[in-house]
Amino acid sequence: MKMTNKDVAITFEDTVYDFGDIGHQDSTASHSFIFKNTGMKPLVISKVETSCGCTTVAFPQQPIPSGEEGKIDVQLHSTQLVPGHFDKEIRVYSNTLEGMNKLKIQGEILP
């Protein structure tokens, strides 16, 4: 049986988050990307990867039932970045037809 878009789908409230100005010594800043399983079958997030060691994530380890919400918590460790603009990517791998969704965090590290 072929999987369709309606079988397993993920919809994020936002896919880009701007932290704005962050002091270099503030150590950590965090944001939660809220999502909903808008498909008809359970959503399974298999892994979440970041483009920088300056970012850590936490994500649901259990399947998300149809119609339910979940969140991916992102923590940015500003002391690991040089002052200036940053633009980092988070890749969410799941059992959706697309297989991977991209999230983005950005902002400015102040000296």
Side-chain angles (χ1 to χ4, degrees):
M1 182 173 185
K2 185 178 175 190
M3 192 163 89
T4 66
N5 276 341
K6 292 182 182 178
D7 285 341
V8 182
I10 188 169
T11 303
F12 286 91
E13 285 185 2
D14 61 338
T15 56
V16 177
Y17 183 75
D18 191 336
F19 281 103
D21 293 341
I22 300 173
H24 189 254
Q25 299 305 319
D26 288 349
S27 76
T28 60
S30 59
H31 176 69
S32 294
F33 285 98
I34 307 297
F35 64 85
K36 185 173 185 175
N37 177 354
T38 53
M40 299 167 78
K41 294 184 179 176
L43 169 69
V44 177
I45 297 176
S46 54
K47 68 179 173 176
V48 178
E49 294 179 338
T50 64
S51 63
C52 173
C54 61
T55 309
T56 56
V57 294
F59 61 94
Q61 301 297 311
Q62 301 300 319
I64 307 296
S66 177
E68 296 293 313
E69 289 188 344
K71 66 180 178 170
I72 296 174
D73 295 319
V74 178
Q75 238 184 8
L76 176 76
H77 305 279
S78 63
T79 55
Q80 295 180 16
L81 293 169
V82 295
H85 181 77
F86 70 90
D87 194 348
K88 304 296 179 188
E89 186 177 273
I90 299 150
R91 293 172 300 283
V92 180
Y93 295 90
S94 66
N95 63 332
T96 61
L97 189 61
E98 297 83 12
M100 192 260 295
N101 293 83
K102 291 180 184 179
L103 305 173
K104 188 166 93 169
I105 56 172
Q106 58 193 21
E108 192 79 25
I109 301 295
L110 302 175

